[in-house]
Amino acid sequence: CCYFPVAKMRSISATLATVAAVAAAFAAVPPSCAFAPKLATAVLSTPHDAGPAVSKSEAQLSRSSSLTSTSTSLAASASSSSDVDLSDVGFILLAGGTGSRMKANMPKQYMTLRGMPVLHHSLDLFLERLPAFANENGKSGPPMVVLVMDPKYQPEYQPIVDKYSNRLAFANPGDERQGSVENGLNKLVELAGDKCKYVAVHDSARPLVTVKEVCDVVSDAKEHGAAVLGVPCKATIKESEDGSMVLRTIPRARLWEVHTPQVVMIDTLQRGFAKVEAESLEVTDDVSIVEQLGEPVKLTLGEYTNLKITTPEDMDVANAILEERKMDAVDLLDEAYGWEVDMAK
């Protein structure tokens, strides 16, 4: 077996602890700060993450270019969140997934996060916090939220739908995400009619998205026709044809990890669905449909904290982020379920 001197092991442990502490500090820093991408690269990259061999000057130039590009993009889309009009934006909340990777006996959107199901954090955002923010700034909140949910869970959520009867409705999921979004869109158009010009599609497995992020992506969609939240990719991405050997390293500076909400003009999304169906196209997210039409999609800089709950470890991270934000426990019709708010969960 391998042997390492005790002193060497202590040194390695200390180094790992330092890196973990700095990484945790970075996670609490909004990516909109000018130094965030640079700090992310400095803390989270390793010598093995360097990609193809380049000179030091080339690497510095590339990194400087990436920072300049991000800053320019931020400046171009820097409209105040309080100026955004949400009165013509309908929301589709996707909660029909099975959550197989969670290794749990229930879908991830129903697992407990700070005393309430993960799904409730998004419901609270769209039905309570966003309208309250809009009202504080003399504007109206979203007129309608469509909850795409498996019919077997709908009876449990009927009391919440009843509470928000004019602003919340069910739609059934499709076989794939694309079908679920289309079902939700059809229900939104049926109920809201001409009230909604835009639709924002959000995964219920992303409970940490903020009011500011939602307002920013809506603002960009209203300017460009479609927009998606995202963050610059921090990891090095390798391409492989056979899943065994590396084909090439894809330049990281051009890669973005996309999040939700994704916001699109309803008319555009309807035309996109018609094209996808007519040509039997396969799309992986909502703005991919817009891309198939050859129309622009704006990248809206979001936050790295807008993570998707996929594995049990993600729940621990989400709990820590909510604790750091000092968020109050979400309480949507608690008495109807008998759920007790347990801040320790």
Side-chain angles (χ1 to χ4, degrees), residues 60-137:
Q60 289 173 336
L61 180 60
S62 173
R63 194 166 297 167
S64 175
S65 251
S66 177
L67 285 171
T68 303
S69 174
T70 301
S71 299
T72 302
S73 176
L74 278 170
S77 62
S79 63
S80 172
S81 298
S82 61
D83 293 334
V84 178
D85 181 14
L86 299 169
S87 65
D88 59 352
V89 183
F91 283 78
I92 296 174
L93 183 55
L94 301 176
T98 60
S100 57
R101 282 174 287 184
M102 283 298 293
K103 300 178 182 178
N105 60 359
M106 68 179 71
K108 56 197 171 189
Q109 60 269 27
Y110 305 117
M111 296 184 69
T112 301
L113 177 61
R114 285 180 67 80
M116 282 291 158
V118 168
L119 167 61
H120 288 211
H121 292 267
S122 296
L123 284 172
D124 178 64
L125 173 64
F126 299 148
L127 295 169
E128 294 289 345
R129 285 186 281 146
L130 267 179
F133 177 80
N135 292 336
E136 286 173 4
N137 292 283

Side-chain angles (χ1 to χ4, degrees), residues 237-308:
I237 307 297
K238 304 287 187 182
E239 182 181 355
S240 173
E241 288 184 328
D242 58 6
S244 176
M245 302 299 292
V246 171
L247 176 65
R248 69 185 178 113
T249 299
I250 302 174
R252 183 171 55 191
R254 301 178 62 181
L255 298 179
W256 281 63
E257 175 188 329
V258 297
H259 297 168
T260 64
Q262 302 187 8
V263 186
V264 186
M265 288 185 66
I266 289 178
D267 175 68
T268 301
L269 196 55
Q270 288 174 325
R271 288 188 291 109
F273 275 127
K275 178 180 176 67
V276 166
E277 183 176 354
E279 300 179 17
S280 299
L281 302 174
E282 183 176 343
V283 293
T284 56
D285 68 352
D286 316 306
V287 295
S288 295
I289 298 174
V290 181
E291 294 168 37
Q292 291 292 339
L293 294 172
E295 299 188 16
V297 177
K298 178 69 170 66
L299 282 168
T300 301
L301 184 64
E303 304 210 17
Y304 289 99
T305 52
N306 185 15
L307 59 87
K308 185 174 183 179

Side-chain angles (χ1 to χ4, degrees), residues 19 22-23 26 35-47 49 63 234 252:
V19 170
V22 177
F26 168 73
F35 63 86
K38 185 173 182 180
L39 181 59
T41 303
V43 172
L44 300 176
S45 295
T46 68
D49 189 40
R63 194 166 297 167
K234 294 187 291 188
R252 183 171 55 191

